[in-house]
Amino acid sequence: MSEWFCHGHSHDNSISITPEMLRPNKQDFLYRLTYFVVNNKILSDKINKFNSKRSIYHCNRCLAWLGMKNKETVKLYNSDVKLEYANNNIHVFTHTTSVQNISTDDFIYTIECMIREFNLGLQYTMLCKIVLECTISATNKQYLLIWVMDKELQVLRNSEKQECPDQIVLQSSFLTKILYKIELECNDEVENWLADPTVVNTDISKTMFFYGIEHLKQMSMKVPESFRYTNGYCISFLKV
């Protein structure tokens, strides 16, 4: 779990820093934007036994993908699980305005948070590049490359309030314009993006990955087809 830190905490070259150094204890709750990590001892024996020989953590009832397992550590994706709070089952994040479903809402929220994280402390707004990684199988990953071109693109669209049928009232609003590309494997372009220190990346669930792509495809339909593609990337909006 070395990904929780930007560097090792010891400068002694004789000490080997391994990914297994940080392991959550039974009562620890390590969380990031899209997932959290717990010790499997806090989970039921029944579901642990069901997943004892699996690297992908499944629901023992419906076989839904819940996260990834590494020995006694389990990484669970926020969009695929619910938490019990005050005798109620709730999602990790709640959204005041819902687009379609919790996975799409979480996808939009994730991109918005990563954009804010990227621009944090910067005097000038820069183009933000994001890599979303998704585990498709025990051995394969797919990647969604997102290039935020303009997070405050001003557009005019029809107002919902049309007082006069003979007039068109336009309303000004701001959208986030992005370029995106789907990569089915870790090729040279993906490696170059991941090696770039200005790129932000995170793991997301398979459900959020597919719903997020479908959402971007729908938003790209707002762009005329002749202008929809450039240099292998598709032009879209985060939400309209």
Side-chain angles (χ1 to χ4, degrees):
M1 296 308 300
S2 59
E3 62 188 307
W4 297 95
F5 297 93
C6 59
H7 57 80
H9 285 261
S10 173
H11 297 284
D12 187 351
N13 294 330
S14 64
I15 298 178
S16 175
I17 304 298
T18 63
E20 289 76 26
M21 281 194 69
L22 182 63
R23 297 179 181 177
N25 294 320
K26 186 175 181 180
Q27 300 300 323
D28 289 341
F29 184 90
L30 309 180
Y31 64 92
R32 295 188 70 183
L33 178 61
T34 55
Y35 60 85
F36 58 91
V37 177
V38 294
N39 191 298
N40 66 356
K41 292 181 181 179
I42 70 170
L43 304 175
S44 69
D45 293 336
K46 185 176 182 180
I47 192 171
N48 280 332
K49 184 178 180 180
F50 180 79
N51 288 283
S52 61
K53 297 183 179 180
R54 304 172 186 263
S55 58
I56 297 175
Y57 210 76
H58 292 76
C59 173
N60 61 313
R61 295 181 179 179
C62 65
L63 298 181
W65 286 30
L66 302 180
M68 305 296 296
K69 181 172 68 73
N70 181 16
K71 297 181 180 179
E72 69 272 14
T73 297
V74 179
K75 177 169 71 175
L76 300 173
Y77 294 107
N78 294 335
S79 60
D80 288 349
V81 299
K82 289 185 177 181
L83 303 179
E84 185 175 315
Y85 178 75
N87 295 324
N88 293 318
N89 292 326
I90 61 173
H91 288 285
V92 177
F93 296 117
T94 56
H95 308 281
T96 54
T97 56
S98 177
V99 176
Q100 293 177 359
N101 53 64
I102 187 62
S103 295
T104 304
D105 292 338
D106 281 356
F107 176 83
I108 296 172
Y109 177 74
T110 297
I111 301 300
E112 291 175 339
C113 288
M114 296 181 81
I115 293 174
R116 287 196 297 268
E117 176 186 345
F118 178 85
N119 289 319
L120 187 63
L122 297 178
Q123 183 178 1
Y124 303 103
T125 301
M126 300 173 60
L127 299 182
C128 176
K129 298 171 74 174
I130 297 171
V131 178
L132 298 180
E133 306 178 35
C134 175
T135 300
I136 300 299
S137 67
T139 57
N140 296 323
K141 270 190 173 185
Q142 292 185 6
Y143 304 85
L144 179 59
L145 309 183
I146 297 177
W147 198 339
V148 181
M149 304 302 295
D150 193 338
K151 68 184 186 70
E152 294 182 348
L153 177 66
Q154 187 174 17
V155 297
L156 297 175
R157 55 183 177 181
N158 291 342
S159 174
E160 296 180 357
K161 297 181 180 180
Q162 300 288 347
E163 298 180 357
C164 180
D166 298 331
Q167 295 180 349
I168 298 177
V169 179
L170 298 179
Q171 183 179 5
S172 176
S173 60
F174 294 92
L175 305 178
T176 300
K177 178 184 177 182
I178 66 174
L179 302 179
Y180 76 92
K181 177 194 283 190
I182 305 165
E183 294 291 354
L184 304 181
E185 60 183 1
C186 188
N187 53 27
D188 291 341
E189 185 172 13
V190 174
E191 289 183 351
N192 290 335
W193 275 53
L194 292 175
D196 188 341
T198 64
V199 173
V200 289
N201 71 293
T202 189
D203 291 332
I204 64 174
S205 68
K206 187 164 67 170
T207 306
M208 187 196 292
F209 188 78
F210 288 130
Y211 273 106
I213 290 175
E214 286 302 314
H215 173 72
L216 293 181
K217 288 181 178 179
Q218 292 179 10
M219 293 297 100
S220 69
M221 300 302 292
K222 308 291 184 181
V223 182
E225 186 175 2
S226 57
F227 301 100
R228 197 174 298 162
Y229 302 95
T230 176
N231 297 326
Y233 287 80
C234 182
I235 300 175
S236 184
F237 302 103
L238 186 56
K239 61 181 179 181
V240 176

